[in-house]
Amino acid sequence: MTSHSRGASKPSRPQRPHPPRRRTGPTRPPVEDPARLAALETLRAVRQRDAYANLVLPQLLRDRRITGRDAALATELTYGAARAQGLLDAVIEACSDRPLSEVDGSALDALRLGAYQLLRTRIPSHAAVASTVDLVRAELGSGIAGFVNAVLRRVAEQDEAAWVDELAPDPDTDPIGNLAFAHAHPRWIAQAFAEALGSRDEPLKRALEADDARPAVHLVARPGEVSADELAAITGGDVAPYSPYGVHLEAGAGDPGDLEPVRERLANVQDEGSQLCALALTRAPLEGTDDRWLDLCAGPGGKAALLAALVGLDGGELIAVEKAPHRAELVRKITSGLPVTVHVADGRETDFVEGAFDRVLVDAPCTGLGALRRRPEARWRRQPADVGTLTKLQRELLTEALRLVRPGGVVGYVVCSPHLSETVGVVTDVARRTGAEVLDTRELFPGVPDLGDGPHVQLWPHLHGTDAMFCAVLRRPS
Ligand SMILES: C[S@@+](CC[C@H](N)C(=O)[O-])C[C@H]1O[C@@H](n2cnc3c(N)ncnc32)[C@H](O)[C@@H]1O
């Protein structure tokens, strides 16, 4: 750790480059670098119009017929740069003579792309700088290219560890801030992880590290159609460790939507943690009828498809509610052929009579802090203020679910977030006000290790290889 590393006394760097004006002359011939061009354009869409990188990039790759190594490179650079944005920006700012807010937006996209290659890939420095600068020259002109060149050369002077050492908060006075910086997470999110884990050191470090890695693709075999063994054999994947229907594919194994079993609706893409949470609801012991299940927040329908296939095996049915019409349509598509009726409605104001269902799933809208691995830019977009709005809605949906389930019936409350306000906070509050019993949900996750003290279940990427899903199963008093 360098002594000049923190606070106001940054090392002096002579002749920092000034961002020039954007060039207005004739356009340059296009560069032959489809992967980086696609990455740059996706980063621009993310910055300019709040687009989702994991929607924009695959479309762009398809439209331009970018495949193989170029597609893999574009994916790595785009998602990597989007994920690491906060860290990259801090380094870029340290290498520029002015705040990022005064740097041309398109130049900033290119700087993020270049800095990511320099700090987090094995691409040789000269190639990372030259390829980025060529792209900028062709796209934006030589003035901006000169600026980008100068900043990237400064970035290349040190590796990632040295930059973290120089720029991150002091680990002794702010251990969470230090880990957040080093693993490219906003501090408030690292803080939320720390509170859920009850740790500010090694477990937090491992959680943030795992959250920064590219996740494997998980598939779910449709019960009654194909087994996990068969699905693994067809796709070349591995049977998942915990879900009896799960299969893991290697990260970067191509677009899983193109796999034949997925196209033929024998399987869907679904994180193993989501599978386990849906299954937990089905595993809770129940006396009496068990053939009317409700999914109160169903879109886009991953859990609805799994639940419907299971209830359908015993002749039952699933009612799926979704507020957003376009997402309700996705539920219809993914559950076609299954015993499902889809309603477009607010789950807090449906027409169902009280006590109409045996099991109810509330897979509530949430911050998604548990699935940051899968949504590259999400961590920089979410704000702490989102939490308060969401927990109110979560409490209302869970309360309504406990009214719609019959006495003795069970409700699964699931969020893809480890934030305590969205998880234990909501469940404890609603259970207290409704008198519902919180079951020891760990018993509904057989074979899954490291589930803590219960009664709730919090899954983690670093412990379970799943998204950080939270699940609590509650029973309405008889
Ligand atoms: C976390 S997602 C559910 C994911 C889904 N269960 C799956 O496995 O594919 C939450 C869903 O709730 C929907 N939603 C938000 N507010 C709602 C409300 N008041 N009533 C019903 N659905 C709502 C959102 O549009 C979103 O599709």
Side-chain angles (χ1 to χ4, degrees):
M1 197 72 51
T2 46
S3 58
H4 58 254
S5 64
R6 295 175 191 91
S9 56
K10 282 184 189 165
S12 61
R13 294 178 177 277
Q15 297 180 343
R16 289 199 172 163
H18 292 246
R21 291 204 184 147
R22 198 190 271 256
R23 174 182 149 281
T24 51
T27 1
R28 300 294 167 110
V31 282
E32 287 300 316
D33 194 345
R36 287 186 180 78
L37 188 56
L40 189 62
E41 289 181 16
T42 306
L43 292 178
R44 189 177 303 154
V46 168
R47 176 182 53 79
Q48 280 184 335
R49 51 184 173 88
D50 276 354
Y52 298 103
N54 61 354
L55 296 185
V56 173
L57 183 68
Q59 186 63 47
L60 227 152
L61 297 179
R62 269 196 296 276
D63 290 351
R64 295 182 186 174
R65 296 178 212 273
I66 300 173
T67 55
R69 288 168 61 123
D70 277 338
L73 178 64
T75 306
E76 160 69 17
L77 299 186
T78 309
Y79 295 174
R83 248 186 230 118
Q85 186 183 299
L87 170 72
L88 300 176
D89 285 1
V91 175
I92 291 165
E93 189 155 46
C95 295
S96 172
D97 74 329
R98 59 192 58 199
L100 287 191
S101 54
E102 290 175 26
V103 174
D104 176 278
S106 297
L108 182 57
D109 299 329
L111 286 168
R112 287 170 177 164
L113 188 63
Y116 177 74
Q117 293 172 71
L118 289 168
L119 300 181
R120 287 198 160 187
T121 73
R122 282 192 236 143
I123 297 169
S125 297
H126 63 273
V129 176
S131 59
T132 309
V133 170
D134 283 352
L135 202 60
V136 174
R137 188 175 296 112
E139 284 268 292
L140 305 167
S142 44
I144 292 186
F147 168 66
V148 168
N149 182 43
V151 174
L152 288 182
R153 281 173 182 279
R154 285 188 183 285
V155 174
E157 285 170 10
Q158 308 193 82
D159 64 8
E160 181 186 358
W163 280 117
V164 169
D165 203 24
E166 182 174 323
L167 299 173
D170 188 331
D172 295 328
T173 54
D174 184 5
I176 294 176
N178 180 272
L179 288 175
F181 187 97
H183 298 290
H185 281 68
R187 195 186 181 294
W188 74 275
I189 292 181
Q191 175 84 37
F193 281 25
E195 284 165 13
L197 287 161
S199 161
R200 302 188 307 170
D201 36 57
E202 194 54 29
L204 176 61
K205 180 171 178 286
R206 289 180 51 221
L208 294 173
E209 248 165 29
D211 206 42
D212 225 8
R214 206 154 147 218
V217 171
H218 296 179
L219 300 179
V220 59
R222 181 169 283 191
E225 296 284 354
V226 65
S227 71
D229 283 321
E230 288 164 339
L231 184 60
I234 300 168
T235 58
D238 295 313
V239 170
Y242 311 120
S243 164
Y245 305 106
V247 167
H248 289 194
L249 302 178
E250 246 177 61
D255 183 350
D258 290 342
L259 292 168
E260 204 174 311
V262 177
R263 278 194 278 113
E264 291 182 1
R265 298 187 194 285
L266 299 176
N268 290 318
V269 177
Q270 186 177 49
D271 179 73
E272 190 180 2
S274 287
Q275 299 173 37
L276 293 172
C277 292
L279 289 173
L281 174 67
T282 71
R283 285 170 172 156
L286 202 59
E287 282 177 13
T289 61
D290 193 9
D291 53 7
R292 256 174 84 74
W293 295 2
L294 171 68
D295 183 344
L296 202 55
C297 303
K303 294 184 192 67
L306 179 55
L307 291 175
L310 288 169
V311 76
L313 290 178
D314 293 326
E317 62 169 340
L318 179 82
I319 311 300
V321 173
E322 167 56 48
K323 190 175 174 192
H326 68 285
R327 289 172 76 85
E329 199 45 46
L330 296 176
V331 181
R332 280 194 193 99
K333 272 199 191 127
I334 201 174
T335 60
S336 79
L338 293 168
V340 178
T341 313
V342 180
H343 295 248
V344 179
D346 187 316
R348 296 165 296 181
E349 299 163 4
T350 61
D351 296 334
F352 308 129
V353 293
E354 180 177 349
F357 299 95
D358 301 305
R359 298 180 193 260
V360 180
L361 177 68
V362 183
D363 188 14
C366 68
T367 54
L369 299 190
L372 297 176
R373 307 181 301 165
R374 301 192 189 278
R375 299 170 198 150
E377 69 289 323
R379 68 186 67 173
W380 306 108
R381 219 171 250 171
R382 273 285 173 210
Q383 298 298 324
D386 299 338
V387 177
T389 322
L390 285 162
T391 53
K392 179 173 181 294
L393 176 58
Q394 290 158 354
R395 277 196 302 272
E396 290 167 357
L397 285 164
L398 179 54
T399 305
E400 179 60 8
L402 283 159
R403 196 184 71 82
L404 293 175
V405 79
R406 67 172 169 81
V410 285
V411 172
Y413 174 77
V414 176
V415 280
C416 188
S417 169
H419 197 297
L420 288 177
S421 304
E422 298 184 89
T423 60
V424 180
V426 168
V427 172
T428 309
D429 181 47
V430 173
R432 186 176 43 78
R433 283 189 294 103
T434 59
E437 175 199 1
V438 183
L439 304 186
D440 189 346
T441 305
R442 294 172 302 172
E443 291 171 3
L444 310 174
F445 286 70
V448 182
D450 297 315
L451 295 180
D453 299 334
H456 323 97
V457 163
Q458 177 63 63
L459 300 174
W460 289 99
H462 67 293
L463 294 176
H464 308 103
T466 64
D467 290 344
M469 305 288 303
F470 171 88
C471 180
V473 177
L474 298 87
R475 191 183 302 282
R476 181 173 171 182
S478 296

